[in-house]
């Protein structure tokens, strides 16, 4: 089985069939096209999104509904088509994995935040993913975890 | 912030960049942009997402993971 030595999670063995493809990468990481979605015993509900090409690149994710139980995912037709999803709203957890990227801290005293503006959305059957930026100003790119206070350093 | 009213078909200039209002719909405005090739044009939310992704990627460490797990357990 192929292995990668990651900075964040140590040595990882994986199967080719567990690789998720991001045909356009992510904003800021356009060349990162393949990721593994991993969990770690004791670290639930955190999801680790590990790059295959760059061992030191790993995002921490939280299932979107764990951050906001009422979250409503919107997908542009074009995005749904790109992911091979039906036009009717995909069900989170069944059709798609929808998770927010966590920014642990910009500075030492900052509270961790989750990006609800641009969740990672993955078609679980086809294993294709993208970052689906939500229209309008409904969701924040730096939603504070563990605190209802607005984050002053959010930028 | 400078505010101006424009109708469909009208345009304005920011330096070398021309922005034309092509169509005004219910909740959306369609704009055309004419700019030199050296000018990067990015939707604001994509730029925000890019910055946020870069910050998130840099924020990950073993210590941060343990701390998040602790806080989530509360």
């Amino acid at each position: 089985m192929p292995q990668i030595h990651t900075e964040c999670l140590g040595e990882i063995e994986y199967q080719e069939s567990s690789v998720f493809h991001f045909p356009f990468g992510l904003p800021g990481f356009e060349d990162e096209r393949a990721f593994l979605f991993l969990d770690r015993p004791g670290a639930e509900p955190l999801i680790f999104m590990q790059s295959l090409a760059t061992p030191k690149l790993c995002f921490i994710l939280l299932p979107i509904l764990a951050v906001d139980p009422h979250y409503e995912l919107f997908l542009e037709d074009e995005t749904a088509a790109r992911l091979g999803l039906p036009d009717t709203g995909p069900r989170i957890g069944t059709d798609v994995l929808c998770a927010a990227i966590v920014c642990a801290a910009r500075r030492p005293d900052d509270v961790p935040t989750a990006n609800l503006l641009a969740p990672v959305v993955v078609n679980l059957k086809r294993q294709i993913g993208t970052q689906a930026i939500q229209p309008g100003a409904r969701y924040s790119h730096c939603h504070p975890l563990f605190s209802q206070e607005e984050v002053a350093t959010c930028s | 912030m400078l505010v101006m009213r424009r109708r469909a078909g009208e345009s304005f200039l920011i330096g070398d960049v021309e922005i034309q209002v092509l169509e005004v719909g219910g909740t959306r405005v369609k704009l055309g942009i004419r700019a030199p090739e050296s000018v990067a044009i990015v939707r604001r939310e994509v730029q925000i997402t890019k910055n946020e992704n870069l910050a998130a990627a840099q924020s990950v460490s073993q210590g941060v993971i343990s701390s998040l797990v602790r806080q989530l357990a509360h």
Side-chain angles (χ1 to χ4, degrees):
Chain A
M1 250 194 306
Q3 287 187 345
I4 46 168
H5 185 77
T6 69
E7 198 160 286
C8 184
L9 304 168
E11 203 75 39
I12 290 173
E13 277 195 348
Y14 65 95
Q15 294 178 324
E16 293 294 348
S17 60
S18 61
V19 176
F20 285 75
H21 298 277
F22 284 68
F24 298 91
L26 305 176
F29 297 91
E30 285 77 8
D31 295 333
E32 298 287 346
R33 304 292 171 92
F35 289 91
L36 299 170
F37 286 82
L38 306 162
D39 51 21
R40 277 287 168 272
E44 300 89 355
L46 295 181
I47 301 165
F48 298 93
M49 182 174 163
Q50 171 65 50
S51 157
L52 268 194
T54 311
K56 69 174 184 193
L57 179 62
C58 179
F59 293 100
I60 302 174
L61 274 53
L62 274 171
I64 206 95
L65 298 178
V67 182
D68 177 355
H70 305 292
Y71 194 88
E72 286 175 30
L73 174 65
F74 176 83
L75 291 183
E76 301 274 0
D77 291 348
E78 191 188 318
T79 310
R82 194 189 292 164
L83 293 178
L85 291 166
D87 293 342
T88 52
R91 286 159 303 171
I92 295 174
T94 317
D95 304 317
V96 294
L97 164 75
C98 180
I101 296 181
V102 173
C103 183
R106 289 168 180 73
R107 282 169 249 173
D109 292 333
D110 288 350
V111 297
T113 60
N115 183 353
L116 298 184
L117 171 71
V120 170
V121 178
V122 169
N123 180 339
L124 289 166
K125 288 202 186 84
R126 295 223 199 154
Q127 298 187 200
I128 304 173
T130 191
Q131 204 168 358
I133 298 175
Q134 301 297 292
R138 204 145 57 118
Y139 292 115
S140 165
H141 65 283
C142 50
H143 175 86
L145 297 170
F146 321 120
S147 158
Q148 293 311 306
E149 291 166 36
E150 278 305 307
V151 182
T153 52
C154 196
S155 57
Chain B
M1 186 188 283
L2 171 71
V3 177
M4 67 168 96
R5 291 176 194 276
R6 301 273 70 191
R7 291 190 171 84
E10 295 179 339
S11 64
F12 58 95
L13 297 165
I14 303 173
D16 291 347
V17 179
E18 180 186 359
I19 298 170
Q20 186 176 15
V21 179
L22 297 176
E23 203 179 297
V24 182
T27 58
R28 289 183 139 185
V29 176
K30 191 171 180 183
L31 302 173
I33 302 163
R34 208 170 275 125
E37 272 198 39
S38 57
V39 175
I41 299 167
V42 176
R43 288 180 175 83
R44 182 166 179 270
E45 57 272 27
V46 173
Q47 184 64 43
I48 289 174
T49 299
K50 177 177 171 173
N51 293 343
E52 202 58 25
N53 285 348
L54 292 167
Q58 281 189 351
S59 77
V60 177
S61 70
Q62 301 278 5
V64 150
I65 295 169
S66 321
S67 152
L68 272 176
V69 169
R70 248 192 336 269
Q71 293 181 79
L72 284 166
H74 284 184

